[in-house]
Amino acid sequence: MKYLVGAVYLLLVLCMGVATWVEHLHGTSFVSREIYGSWWFVSLWILLLVGGGFFLLRQKLYKRRASFLFHVSFILILLGAGCTHFTGQQGMLHLRTSEENPDFVSSFSSPDDEHSFPLPFGVKLEHFEVLYFPGTDTPMDYVSRVVVENEGTEVRAQIAMNKIFSLRGYRFYQTSFDDDQKGSWLSVNYDPWGIPITYAGYLMLALSSLWLLLHPKGHFRQLLKRTRLHRASLLLALLCLAPKLNAKEITRQDAAVYQAKQVVYNGRIVPLNTVAKDFVRKLTGKSAYQKYSEEQVLIGCLLYPEEWQYEPLIKVGNAELEQLLGVGEYARMVDFYDEHNRYKLQEYWMHLRVGAQVTPLQKAIREVDERVALFLMLHNHTLFQPLPKDVAPLPEARIRAELFYNKVPFSTLLYRFCLLLGLIVLIGQGWHLAEQRRGWLLAFLLVAFVTQSVSLALRAYIAGRLPMGNGYETMQFMAWAILLIALCLHRKFPFVAGSFGFLMSGFALLVASIAGMNPEITPLVPVLSSPLLSLHVSLIMMAYALLAFLCINGVITLVYYAKGEQQQGERLTTLSELMLYPATLFLGIGIFIGAVWANVSWGRYWGWDPKEVWALITFMVYGIAFHRKSFACFKHPLVLHLFFIFAFLLVLMTYFGVNYLLGGMHSYANS
């Protein structure tokens, strides 16, 4: 039975990984029909459910109540998913103002399997409206006000993003709207059995996870006693925000007068300095242009485009395109137009757009075209707008905070600082530098942690939300989490904490700074405006930070064993076993909080999106390391740490690979 359950478990992991690539090649409908919704895939989950339940009883795991409830929680989750799959109904309800529509269309695994089900009550749309952020045209929420005629009585309700209306087991979610804003599309979910059972499984998972971490006789607490990391673990447990000017003669002092002027840009009220900073960075790929400040460039291009069109502002960055245009690495605006004032890139783009495969030249043309469009948007006065008179300006303190945040390159300074110190600690290990200079190591870790904390706090204050809405922000949070973990571990394991903390946080900040991630502060789209998002992202990124630690600790442990330092290797092995618990449990809870958020937002707690699938694969693979009785090879420290090193590739695939290779609903994190 053990081998059967293990084989099915590994087969499911393999099938899900392959399915994400099949989806990339053949589309979501195909993979939903042929894999996720197929009889054999469902049968594998049923076989795992039955075999796993029988194996739990056979092993008498109920005698270890915390571990037993933890495994039972997955049985409940799978049972709930089965109820949803076999008995749940999902569909769309289209309403127009003052029109009644008692039916909705239920969509299953394919477009051919669609049919209508009558609602047991009537629904009318009274009014639909889009709410905007003050002073902008950026949507803040979509709201449908409906009247429900239920058993002779009228019930008025408001349905918005992340705000469900529920009646007699039917749940209504705001999904879309008609172009004239007189009609609304609502997702309808009828799942009276699946959702309660699944949520019960989620709750049991969270409680049993805490029990596993806190139980005095549990394996985690026993490891904790051996490493004497009580304070560090407690801290981890508690983790759960114009006058006319000559463009060429304007001085920095003159331009600085406009820094704090409030305008509407990118869906926010911001100081003009933010617009100027983004404008220069997007056009040139650098933080500055020659001797000019950002405001000098912006004001010059705005008021005197006829002069600045001869400035080599626009980065090309592709040798083939540079040759076609007859320019160097940077081009002028006039270089993009021929003698008849025709736009050169239009001809190239129309010619090269044939074919599905995007070439490096096509990609470069698209990027340069966006930079040219940015210049034209400024010239046409559509890049930003003056603050409307009927909109209250932001408090001066918030503007000063954003100016300070724009001025100090936190990420650049900190990744250089962390990578330099990480290399020093790593090289100095031969002289036991970290052990001999514990005080200095702690001081530098504190400097890095406080600096990153200030950066995140400023960003949260400026944005008016927790900074976890895109790829740049999640990498920033991951760097913060890594530094926190390093501080927790520095006393007992100074070398590991120092090398891990500095190197991993430095690389996270380096990726955020130079890997094409967008550092702009933008409002969250309505569907992301939920407190569950912050909790979901926080737990996932903490888990990734801990799994990164397991990878680095694995490398260091292998080095110690290779050098014959058995005792030090055993200490680090114990540390890896200890950190595996919060890393895997944070990941599991984070995944299922994301599922709850998805169910609240659009009525589906699991959609087999590639990132969801790879997160589940990562969770399932790391879960194997807990079962040493079934997989005796993990009792050998070298095998265990090799597993941690190679398993971290799944984390990289989940976070980066899905965004850049597979796409999907979660690829907005790439922005």
Side-chain angles (χ1 to χ4, degrees):
M1 179 60 70
K2 175 177 69 174
Y3 298 108
L4 175 62
V5 173
V8 173
Y9 188 90
L10 294 176
L11 184 58
L12 278 168
V13 168
L14 179 62
C15 288
M16 288 189 294
V18 171
T20 59
W21 291 99
V22 174
E23 179 177 359
H24 181 63
L25 296 173
H26 298 286
T28 302
S29 298
F30 178 84
V31 78
S32 297
R33 180 179 65 253
E34 301 297 333
I35 298 181
Y36 298 133
S38 66
W39 65 269
W40 60 266
F41 189 74
V42 174
S43 299
L44 284 176
W45 283 108
I46 294 174
L47 188 58
L48 180 66
L49 175 66
V50 175
F54 180 77
F55 186 69
L56 293 181
L57 297 176
R58 185 178 177 181
Q59 294 294 312
K60 299 181 180 179
L61 192 64
Y62 49 81
K63 293 183 178 180
R64 295 159 51 196
R65 287 174 291 180
S67 182
F68 180 71
L69 288 178
F70 181 78
H71 287 81
V72 169
S73 69
F74 293 106
I75 294 177
L76 277 179
I77 292 171
L78 288 176
L79 285 173
C83 289
T84 299
H85 180 76
F86 291 109
T87 67
Q89 297 176 354
Q90 290 184 339
M92 298 294 295
L93 178 63
H94 182 212
L95 299 177
R96 295 285 297 177
T97 305
S98 301
E99 294 181 7
E100 184 174 331
N101 188 339
D103 295 333
F104 67 90
V105 176
S106 181
S107 300
F108 292 99
S109 58
S110 72
D112 299 329
D113 188 14
E114 293 185 355
H115 45 285
S116 297
F117 291 87
L119 288 170
F121 42 78
V123 182
K124 291 182 180 179
L125 178 65
E126 269 195 328
H127 180 66
F128 173 83
E129 64 176 327
V130 180
L131 303 180
Y132 297 93
F133 287 98
T136 76
D137 57 359
T138 301
M140 181 172 64
D141 207 349
Y142 309 115
V143 182
S144 295
R145 292 180 172 84
V146 299
V147 177
V148 180
E149 298 178 357
N150 180 39
E151 297 179 347
T153 61
E154 284 192 350
V155 178
R156 280 178 165 77
Q158 182 173 295
I159 306 168
M161 303 303 296
N162 297 306
K163 185 176 181 181
I164 305 170
F165 169 63
S166 181
L167 181 65
R168 295 171 62 178
Y170 290 86
R171 297 156 64 89
F172 296 83
Y173 306 80
Q174 181 63 52
T175 300
S176 185
F177 57 92
D178 294 341
D179 292 338
D180 60 2
Q181 296 191 15
K182 294 183 179 180
S184 177
W185 289 85
L186 306 177
S187 296
V188 184
N189 183 304
Y190 182 72
D191 189 14
W193 299 104
I195 291 177
I197 296 174
T198 303
Y199 277 19
Y202 294 163
L203 180 61
M204 185 179 291
L205 173 68
L207 295 177
S208 59
S209 297
L210 292 175
W211 195 354
L212 284 170
L213 293 177
L214 301 177
H215 194 280
K217 296 182 180 180
H219 189 221
F220 179 77
R221 290 291 295 273
Q222 297 302 315
L223 290 169
L224 194 60
K225 291 177 182 178
R226 286 161 57 185
T227 54
R228 299 179 182 177
L229 288 174
H230 296 82
R231 294 182 181 179
S233 64
L234 178 61
L235 185 56
L236 285 173
L238 293 176
L239 289 174
C240 295
L241 292 136
K244 191 171 183 179
L245 301 167
N246 186 297
K248 296 297 182 182
E249 296 178 0
I250 181 175
T251 65
R252 284 179 175 265
Q253 291 75 16
D254 292 332
V257 173
Y258 298 90
Q259 279 189 346
K261 181 177 178 60
Q262 296 186 32
V263 297
V264 178
Y265 169 68
N266 209 10
R268 291 197 306 129
I269 300 174
V270 302
L272 190 67
N273 173 257
T274 296
V275 185
K277 189 178 181 68
D278 287 346
F279 182 74
V280 172
R281 179 181 56 81
K282 289 178 178 178
L283 247 62
T284 67
K286 298 179 180 179
S287 58
Y289 174 69
Q290 297 183 5
K291 62 182 180 180
Y292 301 104
S293 69
E294 297 99 330
E295 287 81 12
Q296 285 178 290
V297 176
L298 182 74
I299 294 172
C301 291
L302 176 64
L303 299 181
Y304 299 97
E306 64 278 0
E307 295 182 26
W308 279 83
Q309 65 180 337
Y310 292 99
E311 287 289 326
L313 280 168
I314 300 173
K315 183 177 180 180
V316 180
N318 179 277
E320 189 176 355
L321 182 57
E322 291 170 8
Q323 186 176 3
L324 286 173
L325 294 172
V327 298
E329 184 180 1
Y330 289 88
R332 307 167 300 171
M333 273 296 293
V334 294
D335 294 326
F336 296 99
Y337 295 88
D338 61 18
E339 62 275 11
H340 302 293
N341 203 32
R342 290 180 298 198
Y343 185 46
K344 295 179 181 179
L345 292 186
Q346 183 68 22
E347 180 183 352
Y348 297 145
W349 179 247
M350 294 300 293
H351 176 68
L352 293 167
R353 200 167 51 181
V354 180
Q357 190 69 27
V358 178
T359 66
L361 177 59
Q362 287 176 297
K363 183 179 179 182
I365 290 175
R366 182 175 58 194
E367 292 173 351
V368 173
D369 182 70
E370 290 173 354
R371 296 183 186 118
V372 173
L374 194 69
F375 192 99
L376 296 176
M377 286 173 65
L378 180 68
H379 179 60
N380 296 328
H381 307 288
T382 58
L383 182 63
F384 65 91
Q385 301 295 329
L387 187 68
K389 295 181 179 180
D390 58 343
V391 175
L394 294 179
E396 186 178 347
R398 192 161 166 179
I399 294 298
R400 286 201 304 266
E402 185 156 356
L403 291 173
F404 178 73
Y405 183 81
N406 291 341
K407 184 177 181 180
V408 180
F410 286 100
S411 291
T412 303
L413 294 175
L414 200 53
Y415 86 68
R416 293 173 179 173
F417 175 80
C418 289
L419 289 179
L420 176 62
L421 285 175
L423 290 174
I424 291 174
V425 172
L426 199 61
I427 295 171
Q429 171 59 11
W431 297 276
H432 300 283
L433 180 66
E435 285 81 358
Q436 296 172 9
R437 296 290 184 266
R438 289 172 182 260
W440 284 103
L441 180 64
L442 175 61
F444 286 136
L445 279 172
L446 281 172
V447 167
F449 178 74
V450 170
T451 303
Q452 184 63 5
S453 298
V454 169
S455 174
L456 287 177
L458 276 172
R459 193 174 180 94
Y461 176 58
I462 294 165
R465 58 173 175 81
L466 291 178
M468 300 179 190
N470 54 44
Y472 179 86
E473 292 176 347
T474 54
M475 290 303 290
Q476 294 282 326
F477 182 82
M478 186 175 182
W480 178 87
I482 288 170
L483 289 168
L484 179 60
I485 293 168
L487 281 172
C488 295
L489 299 175
H490 87 279
R491 185 174 181 181
K492 190 68 177 177
F493 303 94
F495 169 59
V496 176
S499 58
F500 160 74
F502 288 129
L503 287 176
M504 292 304 297
S505 62
F507 280 123
L509 293 169
L510 178 64
V511 169
S513 298
I514 67 175
M517 292 186 174
N518 195 342
E520 286 183 43
I521 300 175
T522 57
L524 289 178
V525 297
V527 72
L528 300 183
S529 300
S530 168
L532 289 174
L533 168 68
S534 301
L535 188 57
H536 164 65
V537 174
S538 299
L539 289 171
I540 292 289
M541 298 314 295
M542 282 298 300
Y544 288 171
L546 287 166
L547 295 176
F549 169 79
L550 288 178
C551 178
I552 294 293
N553 194 52
V555 174
I556 296 171
T557 304
L558 292 179
V559 172
Y560 275 124
Y561 276 112
K563 292 168 61 178
E565 299 184 22
Q566 192 81 10
Q567 185 177 2
Q568 185 71 355
E570 291 175 356
R571 291 175 66 236
L572 296 185
T573 299
T574 301
L575 181 62
S576 290
E577 294 175 7
L578 179 73
M579 289 300 152
L580 179 63
Y581 277 85
T584 309
L585 296 179
F586 282 178
L587 180 59
I589 296 173
I591 289 171
F592 294 115
I593 286 177
V596 174
W597 167 44
N599 196 37
V600 170
S601 296
W602 49 77
R604 186 180 62 181
Y605 47 80
W606 195 262
W608 297 108
D609 181 75
K611 181 156 285 194
E612 294 175 356
V613 173
W614 277 99
L616 180 60
I617 289 172
T618 304
F619 177 68
M620 292 176 70
V621 169
Y622 274 98
I624 296 173
F626 289 97
H627 299 84
R628 298 189 184 181
K629 291 183 179 179
S630 301
F631 300 91
C633 59
F634 287 122
K635 294 181 180 179
H636 196 291
L638 297 182
V639 174
L640 181 66
H641 287 98
L642 284 172
F643 172 80
F644 288 149
I645 293 169
F646 287 103
F648 189 67
L649 295 175
L650 296 175
V651 177
L652 298 178
M653 178 64 193
T654 304
Y655 190 81
F656 295 107
V658 171
N659 285 354
Y660 296 105
L661 300 176
L662 298 179
M665 181 175 58
H666 285 79
S667 60
Y668 62 81
N670 188 11
S671 62

